[in-house]
Amino acid sequence: SHIRHAWDPSKSVAQNLAEMGLAEDPNLAVPIPKAKLLGMEVESNGREQGKKIVRKPYVVNEMEYEASLPEKKSNTLSRDLIDYVRYMIQNHGENYKEMARDEKNYYQDTPKQIKRKINVYKNFYPEEYKDFIASLKQEKMDVQ
């Protein structure tokens, strides 16, 4: 979006990017030093780059600032998985072998796979899990 706002449609791509301090060709942005390969000197493509004037430095500054921001964690579980785990815990408690034999186990998960899914749910939503377990204990007390 920063580039879009600073773009001048009357200029070429190379001119626009040069004004912003960005490289048109990444191969030319970082010069490759002369290297000796098998006794022969290999030179760069011969283009000499002069000093470029950056007229719109705010574009690069804004992009650097945006890149330095920490990324948001978007760890969520699907609603189906949450419902599946809650159903299994509600009907079978901690008995993973029973869970594996349940008719709602559509993907035929093994007891270890089910346990892993429950642990993932516990780690992603610890407060929700505690509330869920507390509500199950409350239901058992009400039934008795």
Side-chain angles (χ1 to χ4, degrees):
S1 66
H2 306 296
I3 294 173
R4 189 177 303 122
H5 292 298
W7 196 265
D8 184 2
S10 64
K11 295 182 181 175
S12 71
V13 174
Q15 289 171 333
N16 271 308
L17 292 177
E19 281 185 355
M20 293 178 212
L22 301 172
E24 174 194 11
D25 186 0
N27 295 321
L28 299 177
V30 181
I32 301 171
K34 294 180 181 180
K36 291 186 178 182
L37 297 174
L38 301 172
M40 298 172 57
E41 279 194 17
V42 177
E43 294 183 16
S44 60
N45 59 3
R47 291 188 206 168
E48 289 294 322
Q49 291 185 342
K51 291 275 184 178
K52 293 187 179 178
I53 299 171
V54 179
R55 295 190 180 143
K56 301 176 184 177
Y58 61 89
V59 174
V60 173
N61 294 338
E62 290 171 353
M63 289 172 66
E64 286 176 349
Y65 171 74
E66 210 171 90
S68 69
L69 294 174
E71 73 179 70
K72 295 178 183 176
K73 288 190 175 182
S74 61
N75 293 341
T76 58
L77 298 177
S78 69
R79 190 75 238 163
D80 292 337
L81 181 63
I82 292 170
D83 293 341
Y84 172 77
V85 167
R86 292 176 128 229
Y87 169 82
M88 290 298 185
I89 293 172
Q90 189 172 8
N91 290 323
H92 304 291
E94 294 287 318
N95 191 343
Y96 300 110
K97 287 185 180 181
E98 263 186 48
M99 291 179 193
R101 290 191 208 108
D102 193 290
E103 64 183 17
K104 294 266 184 168
N105 185 7
Y106 300 126
Y107 297 110
Q108 298 182 356
D109 293 328
T110 64
K112 276 189 174 182
Q113 289 172 320
I114 295 171
K115 184 176 183 178
R116 199 173 308 125
K117 286 181 181 182
I118 291 172
N119 287 335
V120 167
Y121 175 70
K122 286 180 189 178
N123 293 334
F124 274 64
Y125 303 104
E127 296 298 320
E128 189 177 315
Y129 177 75
K130 287 177 188 173
D131 294 342
F132 178 64
I133 296 299
S135 71
L136 287 178
K137 288 180 182 175
Q138 189 65 28
E139 284 178 18
K140 284 183 181 177
M141 288 181 175
D142 292 343
V143 171
Q144 293 174 354

